[in-house]
Amino acid sequence: CRDLYGLSASVLELPAALLADAVSDDLEQSHNVARDAVSPARVSKDAGCGDTVAAHVMLAFANLGVLSSARPSARWKRRNGLCCMSSHGATENDVQFQDLFAKRMYALQDHVCHEVVEADKSGQHFQEDEWQRTQGSGGGRTRVLEDGDLFEKAAANVSVVRGRLNAERASAMRERGNRSVEADTEYFAAALSIVFHSLSPMVPTLRGDVRVFQTTARDENGQKKSIAWAGGGADLTPSYLYEKDAVEFHRYWKQVCDRHSVADYANFKAWCDRYFYIPMRKEHRGIGGIFFDDLDFSEPAQVEGFLSDVATGWMQSFRPIAERRRKEPYGKQEREWQLIRRGRYAEFNLVYDRGVRFGLLGGGRTESIMVSAPPLIRWKYNYTPAQGSREEELLKVLRQPRDWASMH
Protein backbone atom coordinates (compact mmCIF):
# COMPACT_ATOMS: atom_id res chain seq x y z
CA CYS A 1 0.00 0.00 0.00
CA ARG A 2 2.85 2.38 0.70
CA ASP A 3 4.21 1.69 -2.80
CA LEU A 4 0.77 2.23 -4.34
CA TYR A 5 -0.04 5.51 -2.60
CA GLY A 6 3.33 6.81 -1.51
CA LEU A 7 2.37 6.51 2.14
CA SER A 8 4.84 6.36 4.97
CA ALA A 9 4.72 6.58 8.73
CA SER A 10 6.89 9.69 8.61
CA VAL A 11 4.56 11.51 6.22
CA LEU A 12 1.60 10.68 8.45
CA GLU A 13 3.52 11.51 11.61
CA LEU A 14 2.41 8.18 13.08
CA PRO A 15 4.56 5.67 14.97
CA ALA A 16 5.29 2.77 12.66
CA ALA A 17 3.79 0.25 15.10
CA LEU A 18 0.54 2.20 15.33
CA LEU A 19 0.35 2.50 11.56
CA ALA A 20 0.91 -1.23 11.17
CA ASP A 21 -1.79 -2.01 13.73
CA ALA A 22 -4.27 0.30 12.01
CA VAL A 23 -3.61 -1.19 8.59
CA SER A 24 -3.66 -4.76 9.93
CA ASP A 25 -6.91 -4.27 11.84
CA ASP A 26 -8.60 -2.76 8.83
CA LEU A 27 -7.31 -5.35 6.35
CA GLU A 28 -8.95 -7.98 8.50
CA GLN A 29 -12.28 -6.45 7.48
CA SER A 30 -11.35 -5.45 3.94
CA HIS A 31 -13.50 -8.16 2.36
CA ASN A 32 -16.61 -7.65 4.49
CA VAL A 33 -17.01 -3.97 5.38
CA ALA A 34 -18.55 -3.03 2.04
CA ARG A 35 -20.56 -6.24 1.96
CA ASP A 36 -21.91 -5.56 5.47
CA ALA A 37 -22.86 -1.97 4.76
CA VAL A 38 -24.05 -2.01 1.17
CA SER A 39 -26.39 -4.35 -0.64
CA PRO A 40 -24.23 -6.89 -2.53
CA ALA A 41 -26.12 -6.16 -5.74
CA ARG A 42 -24.97 -2.53 -5.57
CA VAL A 43 -21.26 -3.13 -4.94
CA SER A 44 -19.04 -2.31 -7.91
CA LYS A 45 -18.02 -5.51 -9.71
CA ASP A 46 -14.71 -4.14 -10.94
CA ALA A 47 -13.29 -3.33 -7.51
CA GLY A 48 -9.81 -4.78 -7.56
CA CYS A 49 -7.86 -5.97 -4.56
CA GLY A 50 -5.48 -3.01 -4.72
CA ASP A 51 -8.32 -0.48 -4.63
CA THR A 52 -10.09 -2.40 -1.85
CA VAL A 53 -6.97 -2.48 0.30
CA ALA A 54 -6.17 1.17 -0.38
CA ALA A 55 -9.72 2.29 0.41
CA HIS A 56 -9.64 0.55 3.76
CA VAL A 57 -6.19 1.83 4.59
CA MET A 58 -7.70 5.27 4.08
CA LEU A 59 -10.58 4.25 6.36
CA ALA A 60 -8.10 3.19 9.03
CA PHE A 61 -6.46 6.60 8.80
CA ALA A 62 -9.88 8.25 9.05
CA ASN A 63 -10.69 6.24 12.17
CA LEU A 64 -7.45 7.47 13.71
CA GLY A 65 -8.36 11.04 12.85
CA VAL A 66 -5.38 11.39 10.52
CA LEU A 67 -5.30 12.93 7.07
CA SER A 68 -2.62 11.70 4.71
CA SER A 69 -1.02 13.77 1.98
CA ALA A 70 -1.45 10.95 -0.53
CA ARG A 71 -3.18 11.64 -3.84
CA PRO A 72 -5.94 9.27 -4.99
CA SER A 73 -5.45 7.29 -8.16
CA ALA A 74 -7.20 8.09 -11.44
CA ARG A 75 -9.22 4.92 -11.04
CA TRP A 76 -10.34 6.02 -7.57
CA LYS A 77 -11.35 9.39 -9.00
CA ARG A 78 -13.39 7.79 -11.76
CA ARG A 79 -15.24 5.60 -9.32
CA ASN A 80 -15.97 8.40 -6.86
CA GLY A 81 -17.10 11.15 -9.18
CA LEU A 82 -13.95 13.26 -9.39
CA CYS A 83 -13.03 12.39 -12.96
CA CYS A 84 -15.02 15.31 -14.33
CA MET A 85 -13.65 17.94 -11.95
CA SER A 86 -11.84 20.72 -13.72
CA SER A 87 -8.73 22.18 -12.15
CA HIS A 88 -8.61 25.31 -14.29
CA GLY A 89 -7.44 28.22 -12.16
CA ALA A 90 -6.60 25.96 -9.22
CA THR A 91 -3.10 25.83 -7.77
CA GLU A 92 -1.34 22.57 -6.95
CA ASN A 93 -2.09 23.17 -3.27
CA ASP A 94 -5.77 23.68 -4.11
CA VAL A 95 -5.89 20.39 -6.00
CA GLN A 96 -4.20 18.54 -3.13
CA PHE A 97 -6.66 20.08 -0.66
CA GLN A 98 -9.60 19.01 -2.80
CA ASP A 99 -8.36 15.47 -3.37
CA LEU A 100 -7.62 15.12 0.32
CA PHE A 101 -11.09 16.04 1.50
CA ALA A 102 -12.84 14.16 -1.30
CA LYS A 103 -11.32 10.84 -0.27
CA ARG A 104 -11.85 11.65 3.41
CA MET A 105 -15.61 12.08 2.89
CA TYR A 106 -15.95 8.75 1.10
CA ALA A 107 -13.90 6.89 3.73
CA LEU A 108 -15.97 8.37 6.55
CA GLN A 109 -19.17 7.42 4.73
CA ASP A 110 -17.97 3.80 4.62
CA HIS A 111 -17.21 3.94 8.32
CA VAL A 112 -20.61 5.39 9.30
CA CYS A 113 -22.61 3.00 7.10
CA HIS A 114 -20.82 0.02 8.61
CA GLU A 115 -21.75 1.24 12.10
CA VAL A 116 -25.38 1.77 11.09
CA VAL A 117 -25.79 -1.77 9.73
CA GLU A 118 -24.21 -3.18 12.89
CA ALA A 119 -26.60 -1.21 15.10
CA ASP A 120 -29.73 -1.90 13.03
CA LYS A 121 -29.42 -5.70 13.33
CA SER A 122 -32.18 -6.35 10.77
CA GLY A 123 -30.05 -7.68 7.93
CA GLN A 124 -31.06 -4.72 5.77
CA HIS A 125 -28.36 -3.11 3.64
CA PHE A 126 -27.77 0.28 2.14
CA GLN A 127 -28.84 0.92 -1.43
CA GLU A 128 -26.16 2.89 -3.24
CA ASP A 129 -26.27 5.37 -6.10
CA GLU A 130 -23.16 6.95 -7.57
CA TRP A 131 -24.08 10.02 -9.53
CA GLN A 132 -22.58 12.74 -11.71
CA ARG A 133 -23.60 16.35 -11.53
CA THR A 134 -25.48 17.73 -14.54
CA GLN A 135 -24.41 21.35 -13.90
CA GLY A 136 -20.79 22.20 -13.12
CA SER A 137 -18.73 19.10 -12.43
CA GLY A 138 -18.20 16.41 -9.85
CA GLY A 139 -20.70 14.05 -8.29
CA GLY A 140 -21.25 11.93 -5.25
CA ARG A 141 -22.52 8.78 -3.66
CA THR A 142 -25.89 8.42 -1.94
CA ARG A 143 -26.65 5.51 0.37
CA VAL A 144 -30.03 4.75 1.94
CA LEU A 145 -31.12 1.96 4.29
CA GLU A 146 -34.89 1.58 4.67
CA ASP A 147 -37.30 -0.53 6.74
CA GLY A 148 -34.77 -1.68 9.29
CA ASP A 149 -35.33 -2.73 12.88
CA LEU A 150 -33.84 0.41 14.45
CA PHE A 151 -33.90 2.72 11.45
CA GLU A 152 -37.01 3.30 9.39
CA LYS A 153 -34.71 5.28 7.12
CA ALA A 154 -30.99 6.00 7.42
CA ALA A 155 -29.25 8.07 4.76
CA ALA A 156 -25.59 8.95 4.23
CA ASN A 157 -24.78 11.22 1.32
CA VAL A 158 -21.42 12.36 -0.07
CA SER A 159 -21.18 15.18 -2.57
CA VAL A 160 -17.96 16.44 -4.13
CA VAL A 161 -18.77 19.21 -6.58
CA ARG A 162 -17.31 22.18 -8.36
CA GLY A 163 -18.92 25.11 -10.11
CA ARG A 164 -19.17 28.88 -10.25
CA LEU A 165 -20.81 31.09 -7.66
CA ASN A 166 -23.88 32.97 -8.77
CA ALA A 167 -24.45 36.50 -7.51
CA GLU A 168 -26.84 35.45 -4.75
CA ARG A 169 -24.44 32.92 -3.22
CA ALA A 170 -21.48 35.29 -3.44
CA SER A 171 -23.48 38.02 -1.73
CA ALA A 172 -24.57 35.69 1.07
CA MET A 173 -20.96 34.67 1.70
CA ARG A 174 -19.82 38.28 1.88
CA GLU A 175 -22.57 39.05 4.39
CA ARG A 176 -21.60 36.13 6.63
CA GLY A 177 -17.83 36.41 6.61
CA ASN A 178 -16.84 39.79 5.20
CA ARG A 179 -14.97 37.98 2.46
CA SER A 180 -14.45 39.70 -0.87
CA VAL A 181 -15.97 36.77 -2.75
CA GLU A 182 -17.09 37.69 -6.24
CA ALA A 183 -19.81 36.25 -8.44
CA ASP A 184 -18.71 33.83 -11.18
CA THR A 185 -15.80 32.64 -9.04
CA GLU A 186 -14.96 28.94 -9.13
CA TYR A 187 -15.73 26.98 -5.97
CA PHE A 188 -15.15 23.50 -4.60
CA ALA A 189 -17.39 21.84 -2.02
CA ALA A 190 -17.16 18.43 -0.36
CA ALA A 191 -19.62 17.20 2.23
CA LEU A 192 -20.82 14.15 4.08
CA SER A 193 -24.30 14.41 5.57
CA ILE A 194 -26.30 11.84 7.51
CA VAL A 195 -29.83 11.60 8.84
CA PHE A 196 -31.21 8.67 10.82
CA HIS A 197 -35.00 8.49 11.16
CA SER A 198 -35.73 5.87 13.80
CA LEU A 199 -38.64 3.47 13.59
CA SER A 200 -39.63 3.78 17.25
CA PRO A 201 -41.08 7.11 18.42
CA MET A 202 -39.02 6.64 21.56
CA VAL A 203 -35.74 6.79 19.64
CA PRO A 204 -34.82 10.28 18.37
CA THR A 205 -33.80 11.36 14.90
CA LEU A 206 -30.11 12.16 14.43
CA ARG A 207 -28.74 14.57 11.85
CA GLY A 208 -25.11 15.40 11.22
CA ASP A 209 -22.73 16.70 8.59
CA VAL A 210 -19.18 17.75 7.91
CA ARG A 211 -18.30 19.94 4.94
CA VAL A 212 -15.52 22.01 3.42
CA PHE A 213 -15.79 24.84 0.94
CA GLN A 214 -13.00 26.42 -1.09
CA THR A 215 -13.00 29.37 -3.45
CA THR A 216 -10.96 32.51 -4.16
CA ALA A 217 -11.29 36.09 -2.91
CA ARG A 218 -9.34 39.30 -3.25
CA ASP A 219 -7.04 40.36 -0.43
CA GLU A 220 -6.42 43.92 0.77
CA ASN A 221 -4.09 44.46 -2.19
CA GLY A 222 -6.66 43.32 -4.70
CA GLN A 223 -4.84 40.06 -5.41
CA LYS A 224 -6.78 36.82 -5.66
CA LYS A 225 -6.08 34.24 -2.99
CA SER A 226 -7.46 30.83 -2.16
CA ILE A 227 -9.69 30.66 0.92
CA ALA A 228 -11.37 27.66 2.55
CA TRP A 229 -13.58 27.04 5.50
CA ALA A 230 -15.38 24.14 7.18
CA GLY A 231 -18.71 23.48 8.81
CA GLY A 232 -20.76 20.71 10.30
CA GLY A 233 -22.42 19.49 13.44
CA ALA A 234 -24.72 16.97 15.09
CA ASP A 235 -28.20 17.46 16.53
CA LEU A 236 -30.93 15.35 18.07
CA THR A 237 -34.68 15.55 17.37
CA PRO A 238 -36.77 13.47 19.79
CA SER A 239 -40.50 12.90 19.68
CA TYR A 240 -40.49 12.11 23.40
CA LEU A 241 -38.17 13.77 25.87
CA TYR A 242 -35.84 11.77 28.08
CA GLU A 243 -33.74 14.23 30.04
CA LYS A 244 -31.03 11.63 30.67
CA ASP A 245 -30.58 11.23 26.91
CA ALA A 246 -30.43 14.97 26.28
CA VAL A 247 -27.83 15.50 29.00
CA GLU A 248 -25.72 12.56 27.79
CA PHE A 249 -25.83 13.73 24.17
CA HIS A 250 -24.78 17.29 24.95
CA ARG A 251 -22.05 16.26 27.36
CA TYR A 252 -20.61 14.00 24.69
CA TRP A 253 -20.35 16.88 22.23
CA LYS A 254 -18.99 19.24 24.86
CA GLN A 255 -16.16 16.77 25.47
CA VAL A 256 -15.46 16.59 21.73
CA CYS A 257 -15.29 20.38 21.48
CA ASP A 258 -13.11 20.64 24.57
CA ARG A 259 -10.45 18.49 22.87
CA HIS A 260 -9.94 20.98 20.03
CA SER A 261 -8.73 24.57 20.21
CA VAL A 262 -10.82 25.55 17.16
CA ALA A 263 -14.08 24.39 18.78
CA ASP A 264 -16.24 26.21 21.31
CA TYR A 265 -19.12 24.14 22.68
CA ALA A 266 -21.04 27.06 24.20
CA ASN A 267 -20.89 28.98 20.93
CA PHE A 268 -21.66 25.96 18.75
CA LYS A 269 -24.56 24.89 20.99
CA ALA A 270 -26.10 28.36 20.87
CA TRP A 271 -25.53 28.45 17.10
CA CYS A 272 -27.35 25.13 16.77
CA ASP A 273 -30.32 26.45 18.75
CA ARG A 274 -30.49 29.54 16.54
CA TYR A 275 -30.12 27.67 13.28
CA PHE A 276 -32.64 24.88 13.86
CA TYR A 277 -35.46 27.23 14.77
CA ILE A 278 -38.84 27.29 13.02
CA PRO A 279 -40.04 30.92 13.26
CA MET A 280 -43.52 30.22 11.87
CA ARG A 281 -44.04 27.66 14.69
CA LYS A 282 -42.08 29.58 17.33
CA GLU A 283 -40.28 26.41 18.33
CA HIS A 284 -36.96 24.68 17.77
CA ARG A 285 -36.80 21.56 15.64
CA GLY A 286 -35.21 19.44 18.36
CA ILE A 287 -33.06 19.63 21.50
CA GLY A 288 -30.02 20.77 19.54
CA GLY A 289 -26.41 19.72 19.74
CA ILE A 290 -23.64 21.58 17.95
CA PHE A 291 -23.57 23.51 14.68
CA PHE A 292 -20.67 25.45 13.20
CA ASP A 293 -19.80 27.15 9.95
CA ASP A 294 -17.13 29.47 8.50
CA LEU A 295 -14.40 27.67 10.45
CA ASP A 296 -11.27 28.79 8.62
CA PHE A 297 -8.12 26.74 8.16
CA SER A 298 -5.74 29.00 10.07
CA GLU A 299 -5.05 25.91 12.24
CA PRO A 300 -5.42 23.17 9.60
CA ALA A 301 -4.43 20.21 11.77
CA GLN A 302 -6.91 21.23 14.46
CA VAL A 303 -9.72 21.75 11.95
CA GLU A 304 -9.04 18.42 10.24
CA GLY A 305 -8.93 16.61 13.56
CA PHE A 306 -12.13 18.25 14.75
CA LEU A 307 -14.02 17.34 11.55
CA SER A 308 -12.89 13.74 11.94
CA ASP A 309 -14.05 13.61 15.56
CA VAL A 310 -17.42 15.05 14.59
CA ALA A 311 -18.06 12.46 11.86
CA THR A 312 -16.85 9.47 13.88
CA GLY A 313 -18.79 10.76 16.89
CA TRP A 314 -22.27 10.64 15.36
CA MET A 315 -22.92 6.98 16.12
CA GLN A 316 -20.90 7.10 19.35
CA SER A 317 -23.20 9.81 20.71
CA PHE A 318 -26.39 8.24 19.32
CA ARG A 319 -26.10 4.49 19.74
CA PRO A 320 -26.20 4.29 23.56
CA ILE A 321 -29.41 6.35 23.50
CA ALA A 322 -30.92 4.25 20.71
CA GLU A 323 -30.10 0.96 22.44
CA ARG A 324 -31.65 2.23 25.65
CA ARG A 325 -34.93 3.30 23.99
CA ARG A 326 -35.50 0.98 21.03
CA LYS A 327 -37.45 -1.58 23.09
CA GLU A 328 -39.59 0.96 24.94
CA PRO A 329 -43.28 0.15 24.36
CA TYR A 330 -45.38 2.50 22.25
CA GLY A 331 -48.76 2.54 20.56
CA LYS A 332 -50.83 4.33 17.93
CA GLN A 333 -50.85 7.65 19.83
CA GLU A 334 -47.06 7.76 20.10
CA ARG A 335 -46.62 6.83 16.44
CA GLU A 336 -49.02 9.59 15.37
CA TRP A 337 -47.14 12.17 17.45
CA GLN A 338 -43.87 11.03 15.88
CA LEU A 339 -45.34 11.61 12.38
CA ILE A 340 -46.59 15.07 13.41
CA ARG A 341 -43.14 15.98 14.69
CA ARG A 342 -41.63 14.72 11.45
CA GLY A 343 -43.87 17.23 9.71
CA ARG A 344 -42.06 19.98 11.61
CA TYR A 345 -38.77 18.43 10.53
CA ALA A 346 -39.83 18.62 6.89
CA GLU A 347 -41.06 22.19 7.30
CA PHE A 348 -37.67 23.32 8.52
CA ASN A 349 -35.83 21.53 5.74
CA LEU A 350 -37.94 22.94 2.95
CA VAL A 351 -38.40 26.49 4.23
CA TYR A 352 -35.32 27.36 6.26
CA ASP A 353 -32.43 24.96 5.72
CA ARG A 354 -29.61 26.76 3.93
CA GLY A 355 -28.00 23.58 2.62
CA VAL A 356 -31.22 22.33 1.02
CA ARG A 357 -31.80 25.68 -0.66
CA PHE A 358 -28.19 25.89 -1.83
CA GLY A 359 -28.44 22.44 -3.40
CA LEU A 360 -31.83 22.79 -5.05
CA LEU A 361 -31.24 26.30 -6.40
CA GLY A 362 -27.74 25.37 -7.54
CA GLY A 363 -28.83 22.50 -9.75
CA GLY A 364 -27.96 19.75 -7.29
CA ARG A 365 -29.28 16.20 -7.52
CA THR A 366 -32.81 16.35 -6.09
CA GLU A 367 -32.94 12.74 -4.84
CA SER A 368 -29.72 13.18 -2.91
CA ILE A 369 -30.77 16.52 -1.44
CA MET A 370 -34.21 15.28 -0.41
CA VAL A 371 -32.84 12.04 1.02
CA SER A 372 -32.97 13.69 4.45
CA ALA A 373 -36.78 13.80 4.32
CA PRO A 374 -38.60 11.53 6.79
CA PRO A 375 -40.13 8.38 5.23
CA LEU A 376 -43.62 9.11 6.58
CA ILE A 377 -45.15 12.41 7.76
CA ARG A 378 -48.49 13.63 9.06
CA TRP A 379 -49.88 17.15 9.23
CA LYS A 380 -52.89 17.25 11.56
CA TYR A 381 -54.80 20.51 11.50
CA ASN A 382 -54.23 22.73 14.53
CA TYR A 383 -53.15 19.85 16.72
CA THR A 384 -52.68 20.74 20.39
CA PRO A 385 -51.30 18.18 22.86
CA ALA A 386 -53.26 17.48 26.02
CA GLN A 387 -52.29 19.54 29.04
CA GLY A 388 -49.78 17.74 31.23
CA SER A 389 -49.02 15.12 28.54
CA ARG A 390 -45.55 13.99 27.48
CA GLU A 391 -46.21 15.61 24.12
CA GLU A 392 -46.78 18.97 25.81
CA GLU A 393 -43.65 18.42 27.90
CA LEU A 394 -41.58 18.17 24.72
CA LEU A 395 -43.09 21.34 23.25
CA LYS A 396 -42.17 23.34 26.37
CA VAL A 397 -38.52 22.36 25.90
CA LEU A 398 -38.60 23.09 22.17
CA ARG A 399 -39.85 26.61 22.92
CA GLN A 400 -37.20 27.27 25.55
CA PRO A 401 -33.84 25.48 25.01
CA ARG A 402 -31.94 24.29 28.06
CA ASP A 403 -28.29 24.17 29.01
CA TRP A 404 -28.28 20.37 28.98
CA ALA A 405 -24.55 19.86 29.49
CA SER A 406 -24.64 21.68 32.81
CA MET A 407 -27.65 19.82 34.21
CA HIS A 408 -27.22 17.24 36.97
Side-chain angles (χ1 to χ4, degrees):
C1 293
R2 282 196 297 268
D3 291 341
L4 180 63
Y5 274 75
L7 302 177
S8 68
S10 60
V11 169
L12 289 161
E13 298 180 355
L14 277 174
L18 181 58
L19 176 62
D21 287 344
V23 173
S24 176
D25 290 346
D26 206 59
L27 286 178
E28 188 176 337
Q29 301 182 40
S30 65
H31 294 291
N32 59 35
V33 171
R35 182 170 60 251
D36 289 344
V38 183
S39 171
R42 309 305 296 267
V43 176
S44 173
K45 295 179 180 179
D46 67 343
C49 178
D51 279 349
T52 301
V53 171
H56 291 288
V57 171
M58 292 301 137
L59 177 55
F61 297 151
N63 292 342
L64 289 167
V66 177
L67 286 170
S68 85
S69 60
R71 299 279 298 278
S73 67
R75 184 179 183 185
W76 189 93
K77 288 186 179 183
R78 287 195 301 273
R79 180 171 301 143
N80 294 296
L82 289 176
C83 58
C84 299
M85 291 186 64
S86 163
S87 61
H88 297 304
T91 67
E92 180 66 16
N93 286 340
D94 291 341
V95 172
Q96 289 181 0
F97 176 93
Q98 294 166 13
D99 288 348
L100 184 68
F101 278 99
K103 67 184 179 186
R104 165 55 69 89
M105 298 302 177
Y106 285 106
L108 287 172
Q109 184 193 40
D110 287 340
H111 175 75
V112 172
C113 290
H114 180 63
E115 289 186 306
V116 167
V117 170
E118 278 192 333
D120 189 70
K121 301 175 183 177
S122 67
Q124 294 288 82
H125 296 279
F126 280 88
Q127 302 176 47
E128 178 180 294
D129 281 327
E130 292 186 352
W131 50 274
Q132 296 293 319
R133 198 172 182 219
T134 56
Q135 298 182 25
S137 60
R141 186 171 68 189
T142 298
R143 286 178 176 171
V144 183
L145 181 151
E146 295 178 296
D147 302 321
D149 181 63
L150 174 60
F151 301 106
E152 189 168 9
K153 179 182 180 183
N157 188 55
V158 169
S159 61
V160 180
V161 299
R162 191 170 187 152
R164 290 186 174 275
L165 294 172
N166 61 29
E168 181 182 0
R169 293 183 194 171
S171 175
M173 290 175 185
R174 289 194 297 272
E175 290 174 4
R176 288 207 323 272
N178 296 318
R179 301 182 178 93
S180 54
V181 176
E182 301 173 348
D184 202 38
T185 301
E186 281 193 351
Y187 73 86
F188 164 84
L192 167 62
S193 59
I194 59 101
V195 61
F196 303 153
H197 293 291
S198 304
L199 177 62
S200 168
M202 304 305 168
V203 181
T205 291
L206 176 73
R207 184 218 67 92
D209 75 310
V210 287
R211 57 192 182 274
V212 295
F213 195 95
Q214 184 185 49
T215 186
T216 57
R218 295 192 182 276
D219 60 20
E220 59 275 11
N221 298 318
Q223 300 298 312
K224 282 194 173 184
K225 64 176 182 179
S226 178
I227 58 171
W229 59 91
D235 63 276
L236 208 61
T237 304
S239 298
Y240 287 90
L241 179 67
Y242 292 90
E243 290 193 355
K244 172 182 171 65
D245 299 347
V247 170
E248 181 180 300
F249 184 78
H250 276 269
R251 284 183 178 171
Y252 177 92
W253 289 107
K254 183 179 186 304
Q255 291 171 0
V256 170
C257 291
D258 288 348
R259 292 199 297 267
H260 298 277
S261 62
V262 295
D264 180 345
Y265 169 78
N267 181 29
F268 292 175
K269 192 270 185 190
W271 201 340
C272 189
D273 289 338
R274 290 194 305 272
Y275 185 81
F276 293 105
Y277 181 67
I278 310 173
M280 63 187 182
R281 299 290 187 181
K282 295 182 172 58
E283 65 189 41
H284 297 262
R285 191 178 71 178
I287 61 165
I290 61 169
F291 179 89
F292 59 96
D293 205 351
D294 300 320
L295 193 63
D296 67 41
F297 280 82
S298 56
E299 296 181 66
Q302 277 291 325
V303 174
E304 292 160 5
F306 179 52
L307 292 178
S308 180
D309 275 4
V310 169
T312 57
W314 294 326
M315 282 297 290
Q316 291 179 31
S317 65
F318 174 78
R319 188 167 181 177
I321 295 170
E323 295 294 348
R324 195 157 53 234
R325 305 302 173 196
R326 68 191 298 177
K327 299 302 181 183
E328 293 267 354
Y330 66 90
K332 182 179 178 181
Q333 176 183 328
E334 289 79 16
R335 176 63 168 171
E336 181 176 83
W337 175 244
Q338 179 193 41
L339 300 186
I340 291 171
R341 293 311 309 168
R342 285 180 176 178
R344 299 293 193 266
Y345 196 100
E347 288 173 3
F348 175 85
N349 279 16
L350 293 172
V351 179
Y352 301 107
D353 189 82
R354 196 169 67 212
V356 171
R357 294 204 313 270
F358 183 93
L360 292 176
L361 296 177
R365 184 174 185 261
T366 303
E367 282 298 311
S368 295
I369 297 166
M370 296 302 296
V371 77
S372 63
L376 292 172
I377 298 172
R378 180 169 187 183
W379 277 279
K380 193 169 183 178
Y381 178 73
N382 201 25
Y383 180 80
T384 303
Q387 188 172 2
S389 66
R390 291 193 66 190
E391 293 82 4
E392 184 189 50
E393 178 189 13
L394 176 72
L395 285 184
K396 288 180 179 179
V397 170
L398 298 183
R399 290 166 182 160
Q400 186 61 51
R402 297 179 184 176
D403 182 9
W404 295 106
S406 299
M407 293 179 65
H408 299 288

